[in-house]
PDB file of all heavy atoms in Angstrom:
ATOM      1  N   VAL M   1      44.360  62.665 135.447  1.00 91.00           N
ATOM      2  CA  VAL M   1      44.131  63.184 134.100  1.00 91.00           C
ATOM      3  C   VAL M   1      44.402  64.672 134.059  1.00 91.00           C
ATOM      4  O   VAL M   1      45.063  65.181 133.141  1.00 91.00           O
ATOM      5  CB  VAL M   1      42.691  62.879 133.647  1.00 91.00           C
ATOM      6  CG1 VAL M   1      42.428  63.500 132.273  1.00 91.00           C
ATOM      7  CG2 VAL M   1      42.447  61.382 133.602  1.00 91.00           C
ATOM      8  N   ARG M   2      43.900  65.387 135.056  1.00 92.00           N
ATOM      9  CA  ARG M   2      44.125  66.825 135.120  1.00 92.00           C
ATOM     10  C   ARG M   2      45.615  67.144 135.277  1.00 92.00           C
ATOM     11  O   ARG M   2      46.115  68.131 134.747  1.00 92.00           O
ATOM     12  CB  ARG M   2      43.327  67.448 136.264  1.00 92.00           C
ATOM     13  CG  ARG M   2      41.844  67.574 135.934  1.00 92.00           C
ATOM     14  CD  ARG M   2      41.067  68.296 137.017  1.00 92.00           C
ATOM     15  NE  ARG M   2      40.764  67.424 138.140  1.00 92.00           N
ATOM     16  CZ  ARG M   2      41.213  67.585 139.364  1.00 92.00           C
ATOM     17  NH1 ARG M   2      42.007  68.596 139.647  1.00 92.00           N
ATOM     18  NH2 ARG M   2      40.881  66.740 140.326  1.00 92.00           N
ATOM     19  N   TYR M   3      46.325  66.264 135.980  1.00 94.00           N
ATOM     20  CA  TYR M   3      47.772  66.443 136.173  1.00 94.00           C
ATOM     21  C   TYR M   3      48.494  66.416 134.820  1.00 94.00           C
ATOM     22  O   TYR M   3      49.317  67.289 134.513  1.00 94.00           O
ATOM     23  CB  TYR M   3      48.309  65.342 137.090  1.00 94.00           C
ATOM     24  CG  TYR M   3      49.821  65.299 137.162  1.00 94.00           C
ATOM     25  CD1 TYR M   3      50.530  66.178 137.971  1.00 94.00           C
ATOM     26  CD2 TYR M   3      50.531  64.362 136.407  1.00 94.00           C
ATOM     27  CE1 TYR M   3      51.919  66.135 138.033  1.00 94.00           C
ATOM     28  CE2 TYR M   3      51.914  64.306 136.457  1.00 94.00           C
ATOM     29  CZ  TYR M   3      52.599  65.201 137.274  1.00 94.00           C
ATOM     30  OH  TYR M   3      53.971  65.157 137.322  1.00 94.00           O
ATOM     31  N   TYR M   4      48.176  65.422 134.006  1.00 95.00           N
ATOM     32  CA  TYR M   4      48.839  65.321 132.704  1.00 95.00           C
ATOM     33  C   TYR M   4      48.388  66.448 131.763  1.00 95.00           C
ATOM     34  O   TYR M   4      49.173  66.966 130.971  1.00 95.00           O
ATOM     35  CB  TYR M   4      48.544  63.958 132.065  1.00 95.00           C
ATOM     36  CG  TYR M   4      49.450  62.857 132.576  1.00 95.00           C
ATOM     37  CD1 TYR M   4      48.928  61.788 133.311  1.00 95.00           C
ATOM     38  CD2 TYR M   4      50.820  62.889 132.331  1.00 95.00           C
ATOM     39  CE1 TYR M   4      49.757  60.768 133.785  1.00 95.00           C
ATOM     40  CE2 TYR M   4      51.658  61.877 132.790  1.00 95.00           C
ATOM     41  CZ  TYR M   4      51.113  60.831 133.517  1.00 95.00           C
ATOM     42  OH  TYR M   4      51.942  59.832 133.995  1.00 95.00           O
ATOM     43  N   TYR M   5      47.116  66.810 131.858  1.00 93.00           N
ATOM     44  CA  TYR M   5      46.612  67.904 131.024  1.00 93.00           C
ATOM     45  C   TYR M   5      47.338  69.212 131.349  1.00 93.00           C
ATOM     46  O   TYR M   5      47.810  69.921 130.443  1.00 93.00           O
ATOM     47  CB  TYR M   5      45.106  68.066 131.236  1.00 93.00           C
ATOM     48  CG  TYR M   5      44.523  69.304 130.583  1.00 93.00           C
ATOM     49  CD1 TYR M   5      44.423  69.402 129.201  1.00 93.00           C
ATOM     50  CD2 TYR M   5      44.087  70.380 131.354  1.00 93.00           C
ATOM     51  CE1 TYR M   5      43.894  70.535 128.601  1.00 93.00           C
ATOM     52  CE2 TYR M   5      43.560  71.517 130.765  1.00 93.00           C
ATOM     53  CZ  TYR M   5      43.470  71.589 129.392  1.00 93.00           C
ATOM     54  OH  TYR M   5      42.954  72.719 128.807  1.00 93.00           O
ATOM     55  N   GLN M   6      47.440  69.522 132.634  1.00 93.00           N
ATOM     56  CA  GLN M   6      48.153  70.736 133.034  1.00 93.00           C
ATOM     57  C   GLN M   6      49.626  70.660 132.647  1.00 93.00           C
ATOM     58  O   GLN M   6      50.228  71.659 132.251  1.00 93.00           O
ATOM     59  CB  GLN M   6      48.022  70.946 134.552  1.00 93.00           C
ATOM     60  CG  GLN M   6      46.618  71.285 135.019  1.00 93.00           C
ATOM     61  CD  GLN M   6      46.140  72.625 134.497  1.00 93.00           C
ATOM     62  OE1 GLN M   6      46.925  73.520 134.225  1.00 93.00           O
ATOM     63  NE2 GLN M   6      44.817  72.756 134.337  1.00 93.00           N
ATOM     64  N   GLY M   7      50.194  69.464 132.728  1.00 95.00           N
ATOM     65  CA  GLY M   7      51.588  69.284 132.294  1.00 95.00           C
ATOM     66  C   GLY M   7      51.760  69.563 130.816  1.00 95.00           C
ATOM     67  O   GLY M   7      52.753  70.167 130.390  1.00 95.00           O
ATOM     68  N   GLY M   8      50.761  69.127 130.010  1.00 94.00           N
ATOM     69  CA  GLY M   8      50.813  69.402 128.576  1.00 94.00           C
ATOM     70  C   GLY M   8      50.721  70.882 128.278  1.00 94.00           C
ATOM     71  O   GLY M   8      51.469  71.412 127.444  1.00 94.00           O
ATOM     72  N   LEU M   9      49.808  71.570 128.988  1.00 93.00           N
ATOM     73  CA  LEU M   9      49.679  73.019 128.803  1.00 93.00           C
ATOM     74  C   LEU M   9      50.967  73.738 129.182  1.00 93.00           C
ATOM     75  O   LEU M   9      51.436  74.638 128.473  1.00 93.00           O
ATOM     76  CB  LEU M   9      48.526  73.549 129.651  1.00 93.00           C
ATOM     77  CG  LEU M   9      47.100  73.202 129.215  1.00 93.00           C
ATOM     78  CD1 LEU M   9      46.103  73.781 130.214  1.00 93.00           C
ATOM     79  CD2 LEU M   9      46.818  73.728 127.821  1.00 93.00           C
ATOM     80  N   GLN M  10      51.541  73.341 130.318  1.00 94.00           N
ATOM     81  CA  GLN M  10      52.767  73.982 130.791  1.00 94.00           C
ATOM     82  C   GLN M  10      53.914  73.771 129.802  1.00 94.00           C
ATOM     83  O   GLN M  10      54.680  74.688 129.506  1.00 94.00           O
ATOM     84  CB  GLN M  10      53.147  73.417 132.167  1.00 94.00           C
ATOM     85  CG  GLN M  10      54.346  74.089 132.826  1.00 94.00           C
ATOM     86  CD  GLN M  10      54.044  75.516 133.252  1.00 94.00           C
ATOM     87  OE1 GLN M  10      52.930  75.801 133.691  1.00 94.00           O
ATOM     88  NE2 GLN M  10      55.013  76.395 133.121  1.00 94.00           N
ATOM     89  N   ALA M  11      54.007  72.545 129.284  1.00 95.00           N
ATOM     90  CA  ALA M  11      55.081  72.249 128.322  1.00 95.00           C
ATOM     91  C   ALA M  11      54.918  73.071 127.053  1.00 95.00           C
ATOM     92  O   ALA M  11      55.904  73.555 126.479  1.00 95.00           O
ATOM     93  CB  ALA M  11      55.081  70.757 127.990  1.00 95.00           C
ATOM     94  N   MET M  12      53.693  73.244 126.588  1.00 93.00           N
ATOM     95  CA  MET M  12      53.458  74.063 125.394  1.00 93.00           C
ATOM     96  C   MET M  12      53.859  75.508 125.656  1.00 93.00           C
ATOM     97  O   MET M  12      54.464  76.169 124.796  1.00 93.00           O
ATOM     98  CB  MET M  12      51.997  73.988 124.981  1.00 93.00           C
ATOM     99  CG  MET M  12      51.590  72.660 124.366  1.00 93.00           C
ATOM    100  SD  MET M  12      52.338  72.362 122.744  1.00 93.00           S
ATOM    101  CE  MET M  12      51.317  73.426 121.721  1.00 93.00           C
ATOM    102  N   GLU M  13      53.530  75.998 126.847  1.00 91.00           N
ATOM    103  CA  GLU M  13      53.885  77.376 127.187  1.00 91.00           C
ATOM    104  C   GLU M  13      55.390  77.548 127.275  1.00 91.00           C
ATOM    105  O   GLU M  13      55.925  78.613 126.966  1.00 91.00           O
ATOM    106  CB  GLU M  13      53.228  77.753 128.515  1.00 91.00           C
ATOM    107  CG  GLU M  13      53.167  79.255 128.745  1.00 91.00           C
ATOM    108  CD  GLU M  13      52.154  79.624 129.810  1.00 91.00           C
ATOM    109  OE1 GLU M  13      50.946  79.491 129.563  1.00 91.00           O
ATOM    110  OE2 GLU M  13      52.596  80.050 130.893  1.00 91.00           O
ATOM    111  N   GLU M  14      56.084  76.492 127.676  1.00 93.00           N
ATOM    112  CA  GLU M  14      57.548  76.538 127.815  1.00 93.00           C
ATOM    113  C   GLU M  14      58.261  76.117 126.524  1.00 93.00           C
ATOM    114  O   GLU M  14      59.468  75.893 126.524  1.00 93.00           O
ATOM    115  CB  GLU M  14      57.984  75.644 128.969  1.00 93.00           C
ATOM    116  CG  GLU M  14      57.497  76.134 130.336  1.00 93.00           C
ATOM    117  CD  GLU M  14      57.815  75.172 131.465  1.00 93.00           C
ATOM    118  OE1 GLU M  14      58.318  74.048 131.158  1.00 93.00           O
ATOM    119  OE2 GLU M  14      57.562  75.523 132.628  1.00 93.00           O
ATOM    120  N   LYS M  15      57.514  75.986 125.440  1.00 93.00           N
ATOM    121  CA  LYS M  15      58.079  75.631 124.124  1.00 93.00           C
ATOM    122  C   LYS M  15      58.779  74.270 124.154  1.00 93.00           C
ATOM    123  O   LYS M  15      59.854  74.085 123.587  1.00 93.00           O
ATOM    124  CB  LYS M  15      59.065  76.703 123.643  1.00 93.00           C
ATOM    125  CG  LYS M  15      58.552  78.129 123.707  1.00 93.00           C
ATOM    126  CD  LYS M  15      57.378  78.359 122.800  1.00 93.00           C
ATOM    127  CE  LYS M  15      56.940  79.819 122.802  1.00 93.00           C
ATOM    128  NZ  LYS M  15      55.721  80.044 121.990  1.00 93.00           N
ATOM    129  N   ASP M  16      58.149  73.309 124.835  1.00 96.00           N
ATOM    130  CA  ASP M  16      58.679  71.947 124.917  1.00 96.00           C
ATOM    131  C   ASP M  16      57.642  70.982 124.344  1.00 96.00           C
ATOM    132  O   ASP M  16      56.940  70.282 125.090  1.00 96.00           O
ATOM    133  CB  ASP M  16      58.999  71.596 126.374  1.00 96.00           C
ATOM    134  CG  ASP M  16      59.710  70.246 126.518  1.00 96.00           C
ATOM    135  OD1 ASP M  16      59.859  69.547 125.490  1.00 96.00           O
ATOM    136  OD2 ASP M  16      60.075  69.891 127.648  1.00 96.00           O
ATOM    137  N   PRO M  17      57.496  70.930 123.014  1.00 95.00           N
ATOM    138  CA  PRO M  17      56.433  70.121 122.408  1.00 95.00           C
ATOM    139  C   PRO M  17      56.560  68.628 122.681  1.00 95.00           C
ATOM    140  O   PRO M  17      55.552  67.923 122.766  1.00 95.00           O
ATOM    141  CB  PRO M  17      56.554  70.439 120.919  1.00 95.00           C
ATOM    142  CG  PRO M  17      57.956  70.915 120.729  1.00 95.00           C
ATOM    143  CD  PRO M  17      58.301  71.621 122.000  1.00 95.00           C
ATOM    144  N   GLU M  18      57.787  68.108 122.815  1.00 96.00           N
ATOM    145  CA  GLU M  18      57.947  66.678 123.073  1.00 96.00           C
ATOM    146  C   GLU M  18      57.337  66.296 124.416  1.00 96.00           C
ATOM    147  O   GLU M  18      56.651  65.273 124.537  1.00 96.00           O
ATOM    148  CB  GLU M  18      59.428  66.299 123.034  1.00 96.00           C
ATOM    149  CG  GLU M  18      60.023  66.322 121.630  1.00 96.00           C
ATOM    150  CD  GLU M  18      61.406  65.719 121.589  1.00 96.00           C
ATOM    151  OE1 GLU M  18      61.845  65.145 122.617  1.00 96.00           O
ATOM    152  OE2 GLU M  18      62.057  65.824 120.536  1.00 96.00           O
ATOM    153  N   GLU M  19      57.564  67.107 125.450  1.00 96.00           N
ATOM    154  CA  GLU M  19      56.967  66.844 126.753  1.00 96.00           C
ATOM    155  C   GLU M  19      55.460  67.012 126.689  1.00 96.00           C
ATOM    156  O   GLU M  19      54.700  66.237 127.301  1.00 96.00           O
ATOM    157  CB  GLU M  19      57.557  67.792 127.803  1.00 96.00           C
ATOM    158  CG  GLU M  19      56.965  67.660 129.199  1.00 96.00           C
ATOM    159  CD  GLU M  19      57.186  66.296 129.826  1.00 96.00           C
ATOM    160  OE1 GLU M  19      58.081  65.549 129.364  1.00 96.00           O
ATOM    161  OE2 GLU M  19      56.451  65.965 130.779  1.00 96.00           O
ATOM    162  N   ALA M  20      54.991  68.006 125.928  1.00 96.00           N
ATOM    163  CA  ALA M  20      53.550  68.211 125.767  1.00 96.00           C
ATOM    164  C   ALA M  20      52.913  66.992 125.114  1.00 96.00           C
ATOM    165  O   ALA M  20      51.843  66.531 125.541  1.00 96.00           O
ATOM    166  CB  ALA M  20      53.288  69.462 124.936  1.00 96.00           C
ATOM    167  N   ILE M  21      53.553  66.462 124.085  1.00 97.00           N
ATOM    168  CA  ILE M  21      53.029  65.282 123.401  1.00 97.00           C
ATOM    169  C   ILE M  21      52.924  64.102 124.370  1.00 97.00           C
ATOM    170  O   ILE M  21      51.908  63.392 124.418  1.00 97.00           O
ATOM    171  CB  ILE M  21      53.918  64.918 122.197  1.00 97.00           C
ATOM    172  CG1 ILE M  21      53.756  65.971 121.094  1.00 97.00           C
ATOM    173  CG2 ILE M  21      53.585  63.533 121.654  1.00 97.00           C
ATOM    174  CD1 ILE M  21      54.782  65.862 119.978  1.00 97.00           C
ATOM    175  N   HIS M  22      53.960  63.904 125.175  1.00 96.00           N
ATOM    176  CA  HIS M  22      53.955  62.805 126.155  1.00 96.00           C
ATOM    177  C   HIS M  22      52.782  62.945 127.118  1.00 96.00           C
ATOM    178  O   HIS M  22      52.027  61.979 127.337  1.00 96.00           O
ATOM    179  CB  HIS M  22      55.269  62.801 126.931  1.00 96.00           C
ATOM    180  CG  HIS M  22      55.233  61.958 128.175  1.00 96.00           C
ATOM    181  ND1 HIS M  22      55.183  60.579 128.130  1.00 96.00           N
ATOM    182  CD2 HIS M  22      55.196  62.310 129.498  1.00 96.00           C
ATOM    183  CE1 HIS M  22      55.134  60.114 129.372  1.00 96.00           C
ATOM    184  NE2 HIS M  22      55.146  61.135 130.221  1.00 96.00           N
ATOM    185  N   CYS M  23      52.593  64.139 127.670  1.00 96.00           N
ATOM    186  CA  CYS M  23      51.537  64.350 128.658  1.00 96.00           C
ATOM    187  C   CYS M  23      50.147  64.178 128.041  1.00 96.00           C
ATOM    188  O   CYS M  23      49.268  63.514 128.613  1.00 96.00           O
ATOM    189  CB  CYS M  23      51.659  65.743 129.259  1.00 96.00           C
ATOM    190  SG  CYS M  23      53.094  65.978 130.332  1.00 96.00           S
ATOM    191  N   LEU M  24      49.946  64.750 126.874  1.00 96.00           N
ATOM    192  CA  LEU M  24      48.619  64.721 126.255  1.00 96.00           C
ATOM    193  C   LEU M  24      48.266  63.326 125.751  1.00 96.00           C
ATOM    194  O   LEU M  24      47.090  62.918 125.789  1.00 96.00           O
ATOM    195  CB  LEU M  24      48.558  65.737 125.121  1.00 96.00           C
ATOM    196  CG  LEU M  24      48.717  67.196 125.574  1.00 96.00           C
ATOM    197  CD1 LEU M  24      48.876  68.119 124.370  1.00 96.00           C
ATOM    198  CD2 LEU M  24      47.535  67.631 126.426  1.00 96.00           C
ATOM    199  N   GLU M  25      49.261  62.569 125.302  1.00 96.00           N
ATOM    200  CA  GLU M  25      48.995  61.191 124.886  1.00 96.00           C
ATOM    201  C   GLU M  25      48.573  60.337 126.078  1.00 96.00           C
ATOM    202  O   GLU M  25      47.756  59.414 125.938  1.00 96.00           O
ATOM    203  CB  GLU M  25      50.221  60.597 124.195  1.00 96.00           C
ATOM    204  CG  GLU M  25      50.424  61.135 122.777  1.00 96.00           C
ATOM    205  CD  GLU M  25      51.639  60.555 122.093  1.00 96.00           C
ATOM    206  OE1 GLU M  25      52.521  60.015 122.794  1.00 96.00           O
ATOM    207  OE2 GLU M  25      51.726  60.650 120.843  1.00 96.00           O
ATOM    208  N   GLU M  26      49.119  60.642 127.267  1.00 95.00           N
ATOM    209  CA  GLU M  26      48.696  59.936 128.474  1.00 95.00           C
ATOM    210  C   GLU M  26      47.225  60.212 128.778  1.00 95.00           C
ATOM    211  O   GLU M  26      46.481  59.315 129.175  1.00 95.00           O
ATOM    212  CB  GLU M  26      49.577  60.355 129.656  1.00 95.00           C
ATOM    213  CG  GLU M  26      50.999  59.843 129.602  1.00 95.00           C
ATOM    214  CD  GLU M  26      51.066  58.327 129.650  1.00 95.00           C
ATOM    215  OE1 GLU M  26      50.334  57.721 130.458  1.00 95.00           O
ATOM    216  OE2 GLU M  26      51.843  57.742 128.854  1.00 95.00           O
ATOM    217  N   VAL M  27      46.807  61.471 128.597  1.00 94.00           N
ATOM    218  CA  VAL M  27      45.397  61.816 128.821  1.00 94.00           C
ATOM    219  C   VAL M  27      44.507  61.056 127.848  1.00 94.00           C
ATOM    220  O   VAL M  27      43.467  60.490 128.229  1.00 94.00           O
ATOM    221  CB  VAL M  27      45.176  63.331 128.665  1.00 94.00           C
ATOM    222  CG1 VAL M  27      43.689  63.667 128.795  1.00 94.00           C
ATOM    223  CG2 VAL M  27      45.983  64.108 129.694  1.00 94.00           C
ATOM    224  N   LEU M  28      44.910  60.998 126.585  1.00 95.00           N
ATOM    225  CA  LEU M  28      44.071  60.391 125.556  1.00 95.00           C
ATOM    226  C   LEU M  28      44.011  58.872 125.665  1.00 95.00           C
ATOM    227  O   LEU M  28      43.120  58.239 125.078  1.00 95.00           O
ATOM    228  CB  LEU M  28      44.566  60.810 124.171  1.00 95.00           C
ATOM    229  CG  LEU M  28      44.322  62.289 123.845  1.00 95.00           C
ATOM    230  CD1 LEU M  28      45.015  62.681 122.549  1.00 95.00           C
ATOM    231  CD2 LEU M  28      42.821  62.569 123.751  1.00 95.00           C
TER     232      LEU M  28
END
């Protein structure tokens, strides 16, 4: 869970919302 959460944060920081959405939906 922490892996996907950190991936979502990283994607947001890198301006990649599609990857962020994928990671955060996995957490949820």
Side-chain angles (χ1 to χ4, degrees):
V1 176
R2 284 185 281 116
Y3 170 80
Y4 278 115
Y5 171 70
Q6 292 295 333
L9 289 178
Q10 185 69 37
M12 288 292 283
E13 198 162 290
E14 294 174 354
K15 310 296 184 184
D16 187 355
E18 288 190 8
E19 177 62 19
I21 290 169
H22 165 70
C23 290
L24 296 171
E25 285 180 342
E26 289 297 317
V27 176
L28 290 172

